Amino acid sequence: MRRFLLLYATQQGQAKAIAEEICEKAAAHGFSADLHCISESDKYDLKTETAPLVVVVSTTGTGDPPDTARKFVKKIQDKTLPGDFFAHLRYGLLGLGDSEYTYFCNGGKVIDKRLQELGARHFYDTGHADDCVGLELVVEPWIDGLWAALTKHFVSSKGIEEMSVALTTASTVSQKMDPVKPELIHIESQVELLRLDDSGRKDSEVLEQNAVNRDQSSALIAELESSLTRSIPPLSQASLNIPALPPEYLQVHLHESPGQEESQESVTSVDPVFQVPVSKAVQLTTNDAIKTTLLVELDISKTDFSYQPGDAFNLICPNSDSEVQSLLQRLQLTDQREHLVLLKIKADTKKKGAALPQHIPERCSLQFILTWCLEIRAVPKKAFLRALVDCTSDGAEKRRLQELCSRQGAADYNRFVRDACANLLDLLLAFPSCQPPLSLLLEHLPKLQPRPYSCASSSLSHPGKLHFVFNIVEFLSNTTPVVLRRGVCTGWLATLVESVLQPNRHASHADGGKAVAPQISISPRTANSFHLPNDPSVPIIMVGPGTGVAPFIGFLQHREELRHFHKHGILTHLKVSFSRDSPAREEQAPVKYVQDNIQLHSKQLARLLLHENGYIYVCGDAKNMARDVNDTLVEIISKEVGVDKLDAMKTLATLKEEKRYLQDIWS
């Protein structure tokens, strides 16, 4: 088999899962993948690597490579490296990103560009997958095309002598895997359907009965609408391309054991964890506001936790207790919820490089793992759906799960699973005959990620305290009867601080009462560049709609107390936009959005940024606001400087490189 090096740089597991899929498919195409996380620099050496390289890279933050790739990027960014340092290297790169963010797939683009600068060349075109519309729209065809590109690379690099071997391999692969011949797909699909529907009858009887059933139901189906559990033609009658079954690799034993203390610290990675009390919580919005916004104050005086304005921190949160109990009940594991979960790798697994999930701590109870370690609200990937197919006994339910994980069912998957934010419990309730083993959940559910929040205070103004602000996220579930769901973290926080919550901003300095202070666990986040310039005289522009104003409160407190901002000239101009409400006493129509205010003061803004070396900070929603602000800045630079939009974009890119255009945004 022909070997290639396969590296992944992941933040939340997406890139790793895709790399593992490539690794598992490689053997069937005549290749052997040497799979490693890009951070495992002791296991590979690109300087001496002779095999082709395949890289899968995600993007985090506002366009940064993932944390696992930071050391790698720093190493290849060394300006002393010669231009032919990687001249021997041939590679293909798949970048993952979200087009709601300004710097789409930038994690992959940074690595791609630098490899090119150091002499490496593509053997396969770069792919950019967009999580906004569905990663699989690019990922699946990119993986399909990879095998032909690898075959071509080996043929061209090894010469005529090995060409016949490569062509023979490619021919064998084509007979087994090639999806181009529709008649073969149809036959294979019909055989699969016979297998699913056959309960002991002869094939001819099954076909005859299927024909009768189709005739009787065709009129009814035509009038029905598709849903999570039901499809309509043409999908309901289509032959399906279904992904390969992911190999099982975990063996699970539930061990009855006396109760033991379990720490939230075990669910995090390398960062230190601080358990701190909530000293105050204030509702900043009125009760009839569209969104409920809370300010929470943490007492960090007895810890070593330190921060500066612009920093963010991780908050460790649990899953909803009611959802955990519902999941346990659906899995028929309620009576075993306190049992210890003991894991080991299955001796006969076909999964290459199988390893125990690092986010599942040893000797913890099942309830603790479902509560603190696994993202049970995660939208199941197609590989998970494929695995659930084989755990489903009802033929119609099995067929529907096959459709949802198939290529032909991509639109239905996006509509009823991905866009509807359907989670595992939703699927299990929708498909009652699906009875997955616990091992399958532990293999496929990702790590419950800590939630990042911006520091909304200055330690100079509030020594020993840390403030943060959040909206309580609420949304309707599209997969169950009308139920208003809360965000995993914000819903938990809102309930947690109820005992110390002060009802409105006028009570913000009142005594919190004698209620027992609730505790939460926090950890520091990796340092970023979203900080004040060292020179306090440098002008700064701050764009922060909604809770995006949080870090700027800390910025301003760092220079002067909040009530003196404008009076003392620390804040020279305050421009407020009202996207939902109009102020009671407004002499003229208020500006609705922050980008409108930016446009209104375009000359002043251009002068500060381009002639006075000013800084601009943008914090808040990535989906619309950040992109609109970016586009507005391009328009302003183009207009005020008298250049076309391409040059204006280059100017903006330069500001970003100089760390004078900084973003702290989220979707």
Side-chain angles (χ1 to χ4, degrees):
M1 286 195 178
R2 283 155 171 63
R3 171 188 170 275
F4 65 94
L5 178 61
L6 176 56
L7 301 180
Y8 63 86
T10 192
Q11 188 71 23
Q12 297 187 358
Q14 299 247 48
K16 180 182 179 183
I18 292 169
E20 288 177 340
E21 179 184 349
I22 294 172
C23 184
E24 289 162 7
K25 289 182 175 180
H29 291 269
F31 298 104
S32 173
D34 189 7
L35 175 66
H36 300 292
C37 177
I38 205 167
S39 63
E40 299 174 315
S41 55
D42 58 323
K43 297 182 180 179
Y44 66 91
D45 185 359
L46 295 189
K47 177 57 180 173
T48 59
E49 185 59 68
T50 58
L53 168 67
V54 176
V55 192
V56 184
V57 186
S58 64
T59 299
T60 189
T62 57
D64 301 317
D67 294 342
T68 54
R70 289 195 176 197
K71 288 184 179 179
F72 176 85
V73 171
K74 184 177 181 181
K75 186 175 181 180
I76 64 173
Q77 295 285 21
D78 183 351
K79 294 184 179 180
T80 65
L81 295 177
D84 61 351
F85 189 74
F86 287 141
H88 61 287
L89 199 61
R90 299 295 178 266
Y91 74 100
L93 186 143
L94 175 62
L96 313 180
D98 188 330
S99 60
E100 289 183 347
Y101 289 80
T102 305
Y103 299 98
F104 171 60
C105 276
N106 201 54
K109 290 176 181 178
V110 166
I111 293 175
D112 198 6
K113 179 183 177 183
R114 187 54 179 160
L115 290 178
Q116 295 269 312
E117 292 172 348
L118 294 175
R121 293 292 175 264
H122 291 130
F123 76 84
Y124 186 36
D125 288 341
T126 296
H128 294 135
D130 186 0
D131 199 31
C132 181
V133 296
L135 293 174
E136 68 279 356
L137 296 181
V138 169
V139 170
E140 290 179 359
W142 193 89
I143 294 176
D144 288 344
L146 175 63
W147 316 120
L150 280 168
T151 300
K152 182 178 179 181
H153 167 81
F154 280 112
V155 168
S156 62
S157 61
K158 299 299 182 181
I160 300 296
E161 182 181 348
E162 296 193 358
M163 183 178 292
S164 61
V165 178
L167 291 176
T168 301
T169 301
S171 176
T172 304
V173 170
S174 178
Q175 293 172 13
K176 292 181 179 178
M177 305 295 293
D178 192 84
V180 175
K181 298 180 179 179
E183 68 278 5
L184 292 179
I185 297 173
H186 180 74
I187 292 171
E188 291 168 0
S189 178
Q190 290 305 311
V191 170
E192 176 69 3
L193 287 175
L194 286 172
R195 186 183 71 78
L196 296 180
D197 290 342
D198 191 2
S199 57
R201 296 175 292 171
K202 294 180 180 179
D203 290 354
S204 60
E205 293 174 343
V206 173
L207 288 171
E208 182 179 358
Q209 184 61 47
N210 284 349
V212 172
N213 290 343
R214 282 197 297 269
D215 291 340
Q216 291 177 343
S217 60
S218 59
L220 177 62
I221 290 176
E223 297 178 3
L224 295 175
E225 291 186 358
S226 56
S227 66
L228 176 64
T229 57
R230 183 181 60 244
S231 63
I232 59 174
L235 179 59
S236 61
Q237 299 172 352
S239 300
L240 304 174
N241 293 89
I242 301 168
L245 181 66
E248 299 174 358
Y249 68 95
L250 286 182
Q251 185 173 325
V252 181
H253 176 65
L254 293 176
H255 178 64
E256 189 172 2
S257 176
Q260 63 182 52
E261 187 174 345
E262 295 166 313
S263 170
Q264 296 169 20
E265 295 184 21
S266 62
V267 306
T268 61
S269 53
V270 295
D271 295 326
V273 176
F274 302 96
Q275 192 167 48
V276 296
V278 175
S279 52
K280 183 171 66 178
V282 182
Q283 181 173 320
L284 301 179
T285 48
T286 58
N287 291 333
D288 60 351
I290 295 175
K291 293 181 179 180
T292 300
T293 303
L294 303 183
L295 179 146
V296 173
E297 179 184 83
L298 304 178
D299 184 352
I300 59 172
S301 60
K302 297 179 181 179
T303 72
D304 294 329
F305 186 93
S306 62
Y307 70 97
Q308 59 175 308
D311 279 348
F313 64 95
N314 284 327
L315 195 154
I316 302 168
C317 64
N319 287 306
S320 159
D321 182 65
S322 63
E323 290 179 30
V324 170
Q325 301 312 318
S326 296
L327 185 57
L328 285 167
Q329 184 175 4
R330 174 61 178 81
L331 297 170
Q332 300 178 5
L333 291 171
T334 301
D335 293 342
Q336 296 169 281
R337 63 184 181 275
E338 299 298 337
H339 286 31
L340 298 184
V341 177
L342 306 180
L343 299 179
K344 65 180 181 179
I345 301 298
K346 294 184 70 171
D348 59 347
T349 183
K350 295 181 180 179
K351 183 178 177 66
K352 188 174 181 180
L356 296 177
Q358 295 183 355
H359 57 278
I360 300 180
E362 296 181 357
R363 302 190 66 80
C364 283
S365 70
L366 175 57
Q367 178 150 317
F368 180 86
I369 289 172
L370 291 179
T371 301
W372 292 99
C373 306
L374 300 177
E375 190 90 57
I376 64 174
R377 280 266 192 98
V379 174
K381 300 287 185 282
K382 288 188 175 182
F384 197 179
L385 294 183
R386 174 62 187 88
L388 292 176
V389 168
D390 285 23
C391 304
T392 305
S393 58
D394 180 81
E397 292 180 9
K398 179 172 285 195
R399 165 70 189 193
R400 183 52 174 158
L401 287 171
Q402 285 183 316
E403 291 171 350
L404 291 171
C405 70
S406 70
R407 291 191 180 181
Q408 290 77 8
D412 274 23
Y413 173 82
N414 288 340
R415 179 182 176 188
F416 299 116
V417 181
R418 188 178 69 87
D419 295 345
C421 296
N423 56 47
L424 173 64
L425 183 58
D426 294 331
L427 292 178
L428 293 180
L429 294 176
F431 299 93
S433 74
C434 183
Q435 300 291 339
L438 177 60
S439 58
L440 197 66
L441 276 62
L442 302 184
E443 288 173 356
H444 287 274
L445 286 174
K447 175 185 177 182
L448 177 57
Q449 297 286 343
R451 272 40 176 184
Y453 287 93
S454 299
C455 300
S457 55
S458 163
S459 57
L460 296 181
S461 181
H462 297 277
K465 306 293 184 183
L466 169 61
H467 293 181
F468 68 99
V469 178
F470 66 93
N471 292 325
I472 301 176
V473 177
E474 294 180 324
F475 58 97
L476 289 174
S477 169
N478 296 320
T479 55
T480 56
V482 181
V483 173
L484 190 65
R485 283 182 176 169
R486 282 185 166 185
V488 173
C489 188
T490 62
W492 172 70
L493 277 173
T495 302
L496 186 73
V497 302
E498 279 180 352
S499 62
V500 294
L501 182 64
Q502 299 167 11
N504 57 59
R505 69 195 67 158
H506 303 298
S508 61
H509 297 287
D511 190 306
K514 297 181 180 180
V516 176
Q519 303 265 331
I520 65 173
S521 295
I522 61 173
S523 64
R525 277 179 64 82
T526 307
N528 59 48
S529 303
F530 202 81
H531 293 144
L532 283 166
N534 292 329
D535 182 356
S537 67
V538 171
I540 61 174
I541 302 157
M542 297 170 285
V543 182
T547 55
V549 75
F552 304 139
I553 297 173
F555 278 12
L556 296 170
Q557 286 180 352
H558 214 61
R559 293 184 174 182
E560 188 71 18
E561 289 184 358
L562 182 61
R563 64 186 178 213
H564 298 306
F565 288 163
H566 200 284
K567 179 181 178 182
H568 288 189
I570 301 301
L571 179 63
T572 55
H573 294 82
L574 177 62
K575 307 300 179 186
V576 181
S577 307
F578 298 91
S579 61
R580 291 192 176 89
D581 304 305
S582 296
R585 289 171 295 192
E586 188 73 28
E587 295 179 2
Q588 56 185 13
V591 174
K592 191 170 186 181
Y593 297 111
V594 289
Q595 61 266 27
D596 300 332
N597 247 324
I598 292 172
Q599 192 72 260
L600 205 60
H601 302 85
S602 59
K603 290 185 181 295
Q604 185 180 8
L605 187 142
R607 186 186 76 250
L608 292 175
L609 286 180
L610 305 179
H611 302 296
E612 299 183 19
N613 293 319
Y615 286 59
I616 182 166
Y617 299 83
V618 180
C619 182
D621 166 47
K623 187 173 183 178
N624 297 308
M625 182 278 298
R627 180 182 293 276
D628 291 341
V629 168
N630 190 82
D631 293 345
T632 302
L633 292 174
V634 169
E635 291 179 16
I636 288 173
I637 293 172
S638 175
K639 175 185 174 183
E640 299 299 330
V641 181
V643 297
D644 60 27
K645 287 194 174 182
L646 180 60
D647 285 335
M649 291 171 69
K650 290 179 180 178
T651 300
L652 210 55
T654 300
L655 290 175
K656 188 173 189 294
E657 289 176 4
E658 294 174 351
K659 307 294 185 185
R660 293 201 291 123
Y661 175 22
L662 296 159
Q663 295 177 308
D664 181 8
I665 57 179
W666 56 85
S667 58

